[in-house]
Amino acid sequence: MIAAVLLLPLALAAAPPVGAEGSTAAVRVAVTGGSYTASVGLVRTGPRTLFGGFYCAADGISPTPLTALVDADEIYGLGGVDARWDTATQDYVVTEIHGDAAAGTKKWNAYVNEKKITKGPCHTAIKGGDKVRWTLE
């Protein structure tokens, strides 16, 4: 009984809301700033559970810069994406892309259509035709 109670919050955090399954977008993804640079073709992305933990979707239904990055890695082989969950912001923080780690004062920042995002990468909605760029700076 105790184990079931402890697992319930995790199950709820990872569960997608009803109607989120069809919310996808085709976007372009780029990675710059580290020793690895890439610009890939169209990536179809949508809301999903990431890194075995939390559901990543802006407004509960929209694809995000982070889902686009993870999908680009799975489709085009960017060399791996790592992130950690930040309980304070209730969002992920990207810690590494293709072995280029955020360290010291450098961190991975996301841009959508050349504008730096101001919310977390799972709280920022993207739409079809957007250009998503992750930059180590």
Side-chain angles (χ1 to χ4, degrees):
M1 174 73 169
I2 293 173
V5 171
L6 293 175
L7 291 176
L8 181 60
L10 182 57
L12 292 175
V18 174
E21 303 83 22
S23 304
T24 63
V27 299
R28 299 214 178 264
V29 178
V31 176
T32 63
S35 59
Y36 176 76
T37 299
S39 183
V40 299
L42 285 176
V43 174
R44 181 151 300 278
T45 189
R48 60 188 277 194
T49 300
L50 295 176
F51 306 106
F54 296 90
Y55 190 67
C56 183
D59 305 320
I61 59 169
S62 299
T64 70
L66 187 54
T67 61
L69 176 66
V70 171
D71 287 333
D73 182 45
E74 290 176 1
I75 295 166
Y76 294 100
L78 301 180
V81 174
D82 287 321
R84 66 173 172 76
W85 182 255
D86 181 27
T87 55
T89 62
Q90 292 293 292
D91 210 332
Y92 284 102
V93 174
V94 173
T95 57
E96 187 173 304
I97 301 172
H98 192 82
D100 289 328
T105 59
K106 289 195 166 203
K107 67 180 194 171
W108 284 104
N109 292 304
Y111 292 78
V112 176
N113 299 324
E114 297 307 318
K115 291 183 182 174
K116 188 175 181 179
I117 66 171
T118 57
K119 298 187 259 182
C122 287
H123 289 106
T124 302
I126 59 173
K127 61 188 182 321
D130 281 349
K131 294 177 184 173
V132 177
R133 178 172 50 90
W134 285 85
T135 301
L136 184 61
E137 48 192 14

